[in-house]
Amino acid sequence: MVDERKLDVLRAIVEDYVATEEPVGSKALVERHGLGVSPATVRNDMAVLEEEGYIHQPHTSAGRVPTDKGYRLFVDKLATLKPMSAAERRAIATLLDGAVDLDDVVRRSVRLLSQLTRQVAIVQYPALSRSTVRHVELVALTPTRVMVILILSTGGVEQRLVELDGPIADGDLAELRAALNQASAGVQIAAAAKALGELADKVRPEQVDTTKAVVSVLTEAMSDHRSDERVAVSGTANLARYGDFDTAVRPLLEALEEHVVLLKLLGESGVDALTVRIGHEGPYSELAATSVVATGYGPQELHLGSLGVVGPTRMDYPGSMAAVRAVARYVSRILDEGNQ
């Protein structure tokens, strides 16, 4: 076990290395952090930390830099979420409250996250197969033409036209609308499609053909919302800040081209549960010089997707963790309000 003083030394090394991008020496630590001990004591502590694999010396006579193991201990024991400033909270509220639809929420969220963290931000589009049907609306355009409107819990809307074999009365249309909503409202898409498929067996004989026609376009609209592999990316230019191009930046730039890779990087974090994967803890060996901070989002604990930031292991973990959590909570709130 590492004692408190050595933990303080490790915290100081991580913070200085992230800030300066230079290996950290004992004299600089004492001067900048007021550790209350001599440089010789700090050197001894650094030697122990190095022996235990938390820091290493990249060059002879140079200072130390954290290892993946050191960053992990920092995140698990030392990192506290930085409180968002009033200006940052206002920025989140102002930008996201202005979103006009689901796609706009995703675009604004990923841009905001990259600006707050100065990392590459990734936001998975809601996995709509996990969303629920909020409402089905039927609008008669002519006696034989009906507009079918599917509204999902995430705010997604699909519209389809149905041509009927014969005219439908207003009363029958209202009855069908009620039956459709009774079968599907509040139900996840896959189960709703199944329930709707059984609806034709439960209506009056004269309504069977109309019901089948409407249900057919509804289930088609639902099937269009089952892709879980779309992501939005922002902040690639932030990688220009990092000097370790070949080890960290180049592999990451190549990974940004593959959405499946990015989804695996984000993982399956639960709503409001932060996941930090550092270096070799990630799923791809070629990205061993990068770290990911991610969490899930969705209304009322329903996991619809994940968002997070990715960058070299030398990142501001407390700041990134706070920003990822704040943006995810705000997106969840927007989707929850849209579901009321």
Side-chain angles (χ1 to χ4, degrees):
M1 296 292 292
V2 179
D3 61 37
E4 289 300 319
R5 193 182 68 212
K6 293 182 181 63
L7 286 174
D8 287 341
V9 171
L10 177 62
R11 178 194 289 113
I13 291 171
V14 171
E15 290 175 352
D16 278 13
Y17 184 56
V18 168
T20 67
E21 303 181 17
E22 296 290 341
V24 183
S26 57
K27 184 178 179 182
L29 287 181
V30 173
E31 291 174 350
R32 282 199 286 258
H33 293 273
L35 296 173
V37 293
S38 68
T41 299
V42 172
R43 280 195 296 274
N44 289 335
D45 289 340
M46 291 172 73
V48 173
L49 290 170
E50 184 171 14
E51 184 178 336
E52 296 185 3
Y54 295 108
I55 59 176
H56 74 101
Q57 190 174 26
H59 309 290
T60 306
S61 301
R64 272 47 169 202
V65 301
T67 62
D68 287 358
K69 184 179 178 182
Y71 284 126
R72 170 49 61 194
L73 186 63
F74 173 80
V75 168
D76 290 347
K77 287 189 173 293
L78 303 174
T80 55
L81 296 186
K82 289 181 181 177
M84 304 296 290
S85 69
E88 288 171 329
R89 290 196 300 271
R90 281 196 304 271
I92 294 173
T94 301
L95 189 65
L96 295 186
D97 280 344
V100 297
D101 57 24
L102 184 60
D103 282 345
D104 201 21
V105 169
V106 172
R107 286 192 296 267
R108 288 169 181 253
S109 299
V110 75
R111 189 168 71 248
L112 173 64
L113 197 52
S114 69
Q115 291 169 350
L116 289 173
T117 63
R118 299 182 70 203
Q119 303 289 347
V120 176
I122 307 168
V123 177
Q124 178 186 9
Y125 278 80
L128 296 177
S129 60
R130 300 176 193 153
S131 64
T132 59
V133 176
R134 189 194 307 170
H135 184 70
V136 176
E137 186 57 61
L138 303 179
V139 180
L141 303 179
T142 71
T144 59
R145 176 179 289 182
V146 173
M147 173 75 77
V148 180
I149 305 171
L150 170 67
I151 306 173
L152 300 176
S153 59
T154 53
V157 178
E158 283 288 337
Q159 298 181 358
R160 297 285 194 279
L161 283 177
V162 183
E163 295 288 348
L164 305 177
D165 291 338
I168 184 170
D170 289 345
D172 290 339
L173 189 69
E175 187 178 335
L176 178 55
R177 180 189 300 115
L180 293 169
N181 281 292
Q182 184 176 6
S184 63
V187 180
Q188 285 195 356
I189 283 182
K194 184 174 184 295
L196 290 171
E198 299 168 353
L199 198 57
D201 297 330
K202 302 175 183 179
V203 300
R204 299 196 310 271
E206 61 270 24
Q207 290 184 316
V208 170
D209 289 344
T210 297
T211 301
K212 285 183 176 180
V214 171
V215 165
S216 176
V217 299
L218 264 178
T219 53
E220 177 189 320
M222 290 175 180
S223 69
D224 288 348
H225 279 277
R226 294 185 185 179
S227 173
D228 298 350
E229 297 187 352
R230 292 176 62 208
V231 296
V233 178
S234 181
T236 306
N238 288 326
L239 293 175
R241 295 189 295 120
Y242 295 95
D244 40 2
F245 184 84
D246 286 324
T247 57
V249 177
R250 188 194 303 275
L252 186 51
L253 282 172
E254 293 172 355
L256 294 177
E257 302 293 323
E258 300 291 338
H259 286 189
V260 174
V261 171
L262 298 182
L263 287 169
K264 194 166 182 181
L265 282 179
L266 288 179
E268 277 281 335
S269 304
V271 176
D272 213 28
L274 276 173
T275 298
V276 181
R277 290 196 287 188
I278 298 168
H280 292 84
E281 298 170 355
Y284 298 103
S285 59
E286 60 268 31
L287 295 178
T290 66
S291 290
V292 179
V293 178
T295 190
Y297 69 85
Q300 300 177 7
E301 302 305 311
L302 174 63
H303 181 273
L304 292 180
S306 298
L307 58 80
V309 296
V310 58
T313 52
R314 190 184 67 249
M315 70 164 61
D316 173 15
Y317 289 98
S320 296
M321 291 159 68
V324 166
R325 173 171 285 179
V327 172
R329 285 180 171 176
Y330 215 93
V331 170
S332 296
R333 199 200 80 187
I334 289 173
L335 296 178
D336 201 18
E337 289 175 349
N339 196 29
Q340 304 299 315

Short mmCIF file of all heavy atoms in Angstrom, two decimals, residues 80-84 88 92 113 116-117 274 293 316-329:
data_model
loop_
_atom_site.label_atom_id
_atom_site.label_comp_id
_atom_site.label_asym_id
_atom_site.label_seq_id
_atom_site.Cartn_x
_atom_site.Cartn_y
_atom_site.Cartn_z
N THR A 80 -10.65 14.04 -7.62
CA THR A 80 -12.01 14.45 -7.25
C THR A 80 -12.55 15.28 -8.40
O THR A 80 -11.82 16.04 -9.04
CB THR A 80 -12.00 15.30 -5.96
OG1 THR A 80 -11.11 16.41 -6.14
CG2 THR A 80 -11.53 14.46 -4.77
N LEU A 81 -13.83 15.12 -8.67
CA LEU A 81 -14.42 15.84 -9.79
C LEU A 81 -14.33 17.34 -9.56
O LEU A 81 -14.76 17.84 -8.52
CB LEU A 81 -15.89 15.44 -9.98
CG LEU A 81 -16.15 13.98 -10.36
CD1 LEU A 81 -17.64 13.79 -10.65
CD2 LEU A 81 -15.35 13.59 -11.58
N LYS A 82 -13.76 18.03 -10.52
CA LYS A 82 -13.70 19.49 -10.41
C LYS A 82 -15.12 20.05 -10.53
O LYS A 82 -15.85 19.69 -11.47
CB LYS A 82 -12.84 20.07 -11.54
CG LYS A 82 -11.36 19.79 -11.42
CD LYS A 82 -10.62 20.43 -12.59
CE LYS A 82 -9.14 20.16 -12.52
NZ LYS A 82 -8.42 20.71 -13.69
N PRO A 83 -15.53 20.91 -9.62
CA PRO A 83 -16.87 21.51 -9.79
C PRO A 83 -16.89 22.37 -11.05
O PRO A 83 -15.93 23.08 -11.34
CB PRO A 83 -17.04 22.36 -8.52
CG PRO A 83 -15.65 22.60 -8.01
CD PRO A 83 -14.83 21.41 -8.43
N MET A 84 -17.97 22.26 -11.80
CA MET A 84 -18.10 23.09 -13.00
C MET A 84 -18.28 24.55 -12.57
O MET A 84 -19.01 24.84 -11.62
CB MET A 84 -19.31 22.65 -13.83
CG MET A 84 -19.31 21.19 -14.23
SD MET A 84 -17.94 20.75 -15.33
CE MET A 84 -18.44 21.60 -16.83
N GLU A 88 -19.27 27.67 -17.04
CA GLU A 88 -19.39 26.39 -17.75
C GLU A 88 -20.82 25.85 -17.66
O GLU A 88 -21.36 25.34 -18.64
CB GLU A 88 -18.40 25.39 -17.18
CG GLU A 88 -16.95 25.69 -17.55
CD GLU A 88 -15.96 24.82 -16.80
OE1 GLU A 88 -16.25 24.43 -15.65
OE2 GLU A 88 -14.89 24.53 -17.36
N ILE A 92 -23.32 25.12 -20.86
CA ILE A 92 -24.02 23.86 -21.12
C ILE A 92 -25.52 24.11 -21.30
O ILE A 92 -26.14 23.65 -22.26
CB ILE A 92 -23.77 22.86 -19.97
CG1 ILE A 92 -22.30 22.45 -19.93
CG2 ILE A 92 -24.65 21.61 -20.14
CD1 ILE A 92 -21.94 21.59 -18.72
N LEU A 113 -18.69 19.26 -25.51
CA LEU A 113 -17.80 18.41 -24.73
C LEU A 113 -16.35 18.58 -25.17
O LEU A 113 -15.43 18.61 -24.33
CB LEU A 113 -18.25 16.95 -24.87
CG LEU A 113 -17.73 15.93 -23.87
CD1 LEU A 113 -17.96 16.39 -22.44
CD2 LEU A 113 -18.41 14.59 -24.10
N LEU A 116 -15.15 21.96 -23.74
CA LEU A 116 -14.94 21.97 -22.28
C LEU A 116 -13.68 21.22 -21.88
O LEU A 116 -12.98 21.62 -20.94
CB LEU A 116 -16.15 21.34 -21.57
CG LEU A 116 -17.45 22.13 -21.57
CD1 LEU A 116 -18.58 21.29 -20.96
CD2 LEU A 116 -17.29 23.43 -20.78
N THR A 117 -13.37 20.13 -22.58
CA THR A 117 -12.26 19.26 -22.16
C THR A 117 -11.00 19.45 -22.98
O THR A 117 -9.93 19.00 -22.57
CB THR A 117 -12.67 17.78 -22.27
OG1 THR A 117 -12.96 17.47 -23.64
CG2 THR A 117 -13.90 17.49 -21.41
N LEU A 274 -19.49 6.82 -14.28
CA LEU A 274 -18.31 7.16 -15.08
C LEU A 274 -17.38 5.97 -15.21
O LEU A 274 -17.14 5.23 -14.25
CB LEU A 274 -17.55 8.30 -14.41
CG LEU A 274 -18.01 9.73 -14.70
CD1 LEU A 274 -17.22 10.69 -13.82
CD2 LEU A 274 -17.82 10.09 -16.16
N VAL A 293 -12.63 8.61 -21.08
CA VAL A 293 -13.54 8.89 -19.98
C VAL A 293 -14.95 8.90 -20.58
O VAL A 293 -15.23 9.67 -21.50
CB VAL A 293 -13.25 10.26 -19.33
CG1 VAL A 293 -14.25 10.55 -18.20
CG2 VAL A 293 -11.83 10.29 -18.78
N ASP A 316 -6.26 15.76 -18.46
CA ASP A 316 -6.79 16.28 -17.19
C ASP A 316 -7.97 15.41 -16.79
O ASP A 316 -9.11 15.67 -17.17
CB ASP A 316 -7.21 17.74 -17.39
CG ASP A 316 -7.93 18.31 -16.17
OD1 ASP A 316 -7.86 17.68 -15.09
OD2 ASP A 316 -8.58 19.35 -16.31
N TYR A 317 -7.71 14.38 -16.00
CA TYR A 317 -8.77 13.43 -15.65
C TYR A 317 -9.88 14.07 -14.82
O TYR A 317 -11.06 13.90 -15.14
CB TYR A 317 -8.18 12.22 -14.93
CG TYR A 317 -7.36 11.32 -15.84
CD1 TYR A 317 -5.98 11.42 -15.88
CD2 TYR A 317 -7.99 10.39 -16.66
CE1 TYR A 317 -5.23 10.61 -16.72
CE2 TYR A 317 -7.24 9.57 -17.51
CZ TYR A 317 -5.87 9.69 -17.53
OH TYR A 317 -5.13 8.88 -18.36
N PRO A 318 -9.57 14.82 -13.74
CA PRO A 318 -10.68 15.40 -12.96
C PRO A 318 -11.57 16.32 -13.79
O PRO A 318 -12.80 16.27 -13.69
CB PRO A 318 -9.95 16.17 -11.85
CG PRO A 318 -8.64 15.48 -11.71
CD PRO A 318 -8.26 15.07 -13.10
N GLY A 319 -10.95 17.18 -14.62
CA GLY A 319 -11.75 18.08 -15.44
C GLY A 319 -12.56 17.34 -16.49
O GLY A 319 -13.73 17.66 -16.72
N SER A 320 -11.95 16.34 -17.13
CA SER A 320 -12.65 15.57 -18.15
C SER A 320 -13.80 14.79 -17.53
O SER A 320 -14.90 14.72 -18.09
CB SER A 320 -11.69 14.61 -18.85
OG SER A 320 -10.68 15.32 -19.55
N MET A 321 -13.58 14.20 -16.35
CA MET A 321 -14.62 13.43 -15.69
C MET A 321 -15.81 14.32 -15.33
O MET A 321 -16.97 13.95 -15.51
CB MET A 321 -14.05 12.75 -14.43
CG MET A 321 -13.06 11.63 -14.75
SD MET A 321 -11.94 11.21 -13.38
CE MET A 321 -13.11 10.50 -12.21
N ALA A 322 -15.52 15.51 -14.83
CA ALA A 322 -16.60 16.43 -14.45
C ALA A 322 -17.40 16.87 -15.67
O ALA A 322 -18.64 16.93 -15.63
CB ALA A 322 -16.02 17.65 -13.73
N ALA A 323 -16.71 17.20 -16.77
CA ALA A 323 -17.40 17.67 -17.96
C ALA A 323 -18.26 16.56 -18.59
O ALA A 323 -19.39 16.79 -19.00
CB ALA A 323 -16.39 18.19 -18.98
N VAL A 324 -17.71 15.34 -18.65
CA VAL A 324 -18.45 14.22 -19.22
C VAL A 324 -19.72 13.96 -18.41
O VAL A 324 -20.81 13.79 -18.96
CB VAL A 324 -17.56 12.95 -19.28
CG1 VAL A 324 -18.40 11.71 -19.54
CG2 VAL A 324 -16.51 13.11 -20.37
N ARG A 325 -19.58 13.95 -17.09
CA ARG A 325 -20.76 13.70 -16.25
C ARG A 325 -21.79 14.83 -16.41
O ARG A 325 -22.99 14.56 -16.53
CB ARG A 325 -20.35 13.59 -14.79
CG ARG A 325 -21.55 13.51 -13.83
CD ARG A 325 -21.14 13.19 -12.42
NE ARG A 325 -20.78 11.78 -12.30
CZ ARG A 325 -20.34 11.23 -11.17
NH1 ARG A 325 -20.19 11.97 -10.09
NH2 ARG A 325 -20.06 9.94 -11.13
N ALA A 326 -21.34 16.08 -16.42
CA ALA A 326 -22.26 17.21 -16.51
C ALA A 326 -23.03 17.20 -17.82
O ALA A 326 -24.26 17.39 -17.85
CB ALA A 326 -21.51 18.53 -16.34
N VAL A 327 -22.34 16.99 -18.94
CA VAL A 327 -23.01 16.99 -20.24
C VAL A 327 -23.98 15.81 -20.34
O VAL A 327 -25.11 15.95 -20.82
CB VAL A 327 -21.98 16.96 -21.39
CG1 VAL A 327 -22.69 16.77 -22.73
CG2 VAL A 327 -21.18 18.26 -21.40
N ALA A 328 -23.57 14.64 -19.84
CA ALA A 328 -24.45 13.47 -19.89
C ALA A 328 -25.71 13.70 -19.07
O ALA A 328 -26.82 13.34 -19.51
CB ALA A 328 -23.71 12.23 -19.37
N ARG A 329 -25.58 14.28 -17.91
CA ARG A 329 -26.76 14.55 -17.08
C ARG A 329 -27.70 15.53 -17.76
O ARG A 329 -28.92 15.39 -17.68
CB ARG A 329 -26.32 15.09 -15.71
CG ARG A 329 -25.76 14.01 -14.79
CD ARG A 329 -25.33 14.59 -13.45
NE ARG A 329 -24.99 13.52 -12.50
CZ ARG A 329 -24.52 13.75 -11.29
NH1 ARG A 329 -24.32 14.98 -10.86
NH2 ARG A 329 -24.25 12.73 -10.49
#
